[in-house]
Amino acid sequence: MFQTDSISHTSWGASDSVHVQNPKAHRQPTPAQVLSWLPRNATPQQQDSAIRANITPSEIHWSTRPDTLHLPGQSVGKSFRDVSLPQYYKHSYFSKSPLFHPEISGGRQGVSGDPIPYTIAGDNLITSILLGCLMLALTAFSASRRFIERQIRKFFYVQRGKTTAITETSAELRFQLFLVFQTCLLQALVFFFYTSSVNSDTFILEQYQVIGIFCAIFTGYYVLKFILYSLTNMVFFDRNRNEQWLKSFLFIISSMGLLLFPAVMLLAYFDLSIRTVAIYALVVIFLSKLLTFFKTYIIFFRQNGQFLQNILYFCALEIMPLLSLWGALITANSYLKVNY
């Protein structure tokens, strides 16, 4: 055995080559034995030189001992190293099975089934929202039924006095505001389902967040229209006509929500096609614009017979905001959608 001198220490350079003679010439040492002969401060280059000087690669000789694991009376099994063997000798059913390889995790046995596709009826949040809207609408309708009947009766009535014919309480006003918010939510759901089926259903956010963004866009649209109508009517018309028109405007928006609610329920639970729902929504929007045009003419322009001014008024405060709403929805959808 060779021991390193504990008194004298030699500094080794990085460029020095090491040639260590094998103390046992009758057999080839292992790399660990060669490295044990070197001092501790030997560099990786010196370690590599020492291994190359003392170890010579030789041909690998496989074991020639007979295989004793075969059944008695049967021929000796063939080695998997034989390249002439067919593939079914090397790859069998149990080649990668955890039953044959305990080191591989077993996992779940059996064949995995097809995942259940997404459906609106299976979405718990949207179902809860629709059921909540239905229950609140029925409760509010039962409390404000007379007010709704009076509004429907007086909607096509040509008022000749200077005061507003329809009076409403604070509870009835809250009911109308709830219906306006329900209209925004239902329009957001219809647009979300339409763009998911026509364009794609891959968004950068969760679908609930996307529906919330669309609902905020519709809410901002109606708030902006309310402000524009108030400012415009305040300049050109008196207070009574302005108040009468704003109540009619809230009634039209509320009616849109009530008309869209059955279509959304049929889409969610009775597999109504999105194309039919989209056509129905367009018809509802067209009827609301037609009623808006009729009501503005009755309230503001009927006495003076200014039909052309009514067209300009309608285009400026109805058509242009509607086109702006569509552009905002398309832009938001392009930003929220994953573009490949």
Side-chain angles (χ1 to χ4, degrees):
M1 297 180 61
F2 292 86
Q3 294 182 353
T4 58
D5 190 1
S6 61
I7 299 177
S8 63
H9 298 278
T10 305
S11 62
W12 293 56
S15 61
D16 296 339
S17 61
V18 179
H19 299 281
V20 181
Q21 296 295 331
N22 185 5
K24 298 179 181 180
H26 61 278
R27 67 174 183 175
Q28 186 169 263
T30 62
Q33 294 175 347
V34 174
L35 295 179
S36 65
W37 300 336
L38 300 177
R40 295 182 179 180
N41 58 351
T43 62
Q45 293 82 0
Q46 295 171 347
Q47 296 175 359
D48 183 68
S49 300
I51 290 176
R52 288 177 179 272
N54 293 275
I55 297 177
T56 302
S58 59
E59 184 181 357
I60 300 176
H61 299 281
W62 300 100
S63 176
T64 57
R65 294 182 179 181
D67 185 12
T68 59
L69 297 179
H70 60 277
L71 296 177
Q74 301 293 329
S75 59
V76 179
K78 299 180 180 180
S79 175
F80 68 93
R81 299 186 184 91
D82 188 359
V83 296
S84 62
L85 290 177
Q87 289 293 330
Y88 56 82
Y89 277 95
K90 302 178 181 179
H91 302 283
S92 63
Y93 176 79
F94 296 100
S95 296
K96 297 182 179 180
S97 174
L99 302 176
F100 190 72
H101 297 277
E103 68 275 5
I104 301 178
S105 59
R108 183 177 297 176
Q109 299 293 332
V111 180
S112 60
D114 296 332
I116 300 176
Y118 172 79
T119 57
I120 305 173
D123 196 319
N124 296 329
L125 181 59
I126 295 180
T127 301
S128 302
I129 291 174
L130 293 178
L131 292 179
C133 290
L134 178 61
M135 296 177 62
L136 291 176
L138 293 177
T139 304
F141 180 78
S142 62
S144 306
R145 181 178 56 189
R146 294 182 180 179
F147 171 72
I148 297 174
E149 293 176 355
R150 188 170 65 250
Q151 277 193 325
I152 296 175
R153 243 185 357 257
K154 297 294 184 179
F155 185 80
F156 297 98
Y157 173 73
V158 180
Q159 184 179 353
R160 301 181 184 277
K162 295 183 179 181
T163 59
T164 303
I166 302 176
T167 58
E168 53 189 13
T169 61
S170 59
E172 293 171 344
L173 181 61
R174 289 195 298 269
F175 165 65
Q176 276 197 329
L177 293 178
F178 164 74
L179 290 181
V180 170
F181 177 75
Q182 180 180 348
T183 302
C184 298
L185 180 59
L186 293 176
Q187 288 178 343
L189 288 174
V190 171
F191 182 78
F192 172 76
F193 296 143
Y194 175 78
T195 187
S196 298
S197 61
V198 174
N199 297 331
S200 64
D201 56 351
T202 54
F203 295 94
I204 60 176
L205 300 176
E206 294 184 359
Q207 57 182 359
Y208 309 123
Q209 297 176 351
V210 175
I211 294 174
I213 292 174
F214 290 156
C215 184
I217 293 175
F218 279 103
T219 305
Y221 164 72
Y222 287 115
V223 171
L224 180 61
K225 282 185 62 177
F226 186 85
I227 295 174
L228 291 177
Y229 273 122
S230 300
L231 295 178
T232 305
N233 297 337
M234 189 182 300
V235 174
F236 295 100
F237 306 104
D238 56 7
R239 180 179 178 181
N240 292 330
R241 293 183 179 180
N242 190 11
E243 183 180 357
Q244 184 182 358
W245 161 244
L246 290 179
K247 290 181 179 181
S248 301
F249 178 65
L250 289 177
F251 176 73
I252 292 173
I253 299 176
S254 304
S255 302
M256 290 177 60
L258 294 177
L259 292 176
L260 287 176
F261 188 78
V264 176
M265 296 293 287
L266 291 175
L267 174 65
Y269 301 106
F270 294 94
D271 295 332
L272 187 65
S273 65
I274 187 62
R275 183 177 180 181
T276 305
V277 175
I279 295 174
Y280 176 79
L282 292 177
V283 171
V284 171
I285 293 174
F286 176 76
L287 291 178
S288 67
K289 299 306 176 185
L290 189 62
L291 293 176
T292 302
F293 182 81
F294 168 77
K295 202 62 180 177
T296 53
Y297 177 74
I298 292 298
I299 295 176
F300 300 120
F301 302 101
R302 180 177 178 274
Q303 296 178 356
N304 300 328
Q306 298 173 350
F307 187 76
L308 180 61
Q309 286 80 354
N310 187 25
I311 295 177
L312 296 176
Y313 179 87
F314 179 78
C315 292
L317 297 179
E318 284 292 334
I319 302 301
M320 295 304 297
L322 183 62
L323 296 178
S324 302
L325 171 65
W326 181 254
L329 290 174
I330 295 300
T331 304
N333 184 45
S334 64
Y335 278 109
L336 295 174
K337 186 176 61 176
V338 176
N339 298 317
Y340 295 98

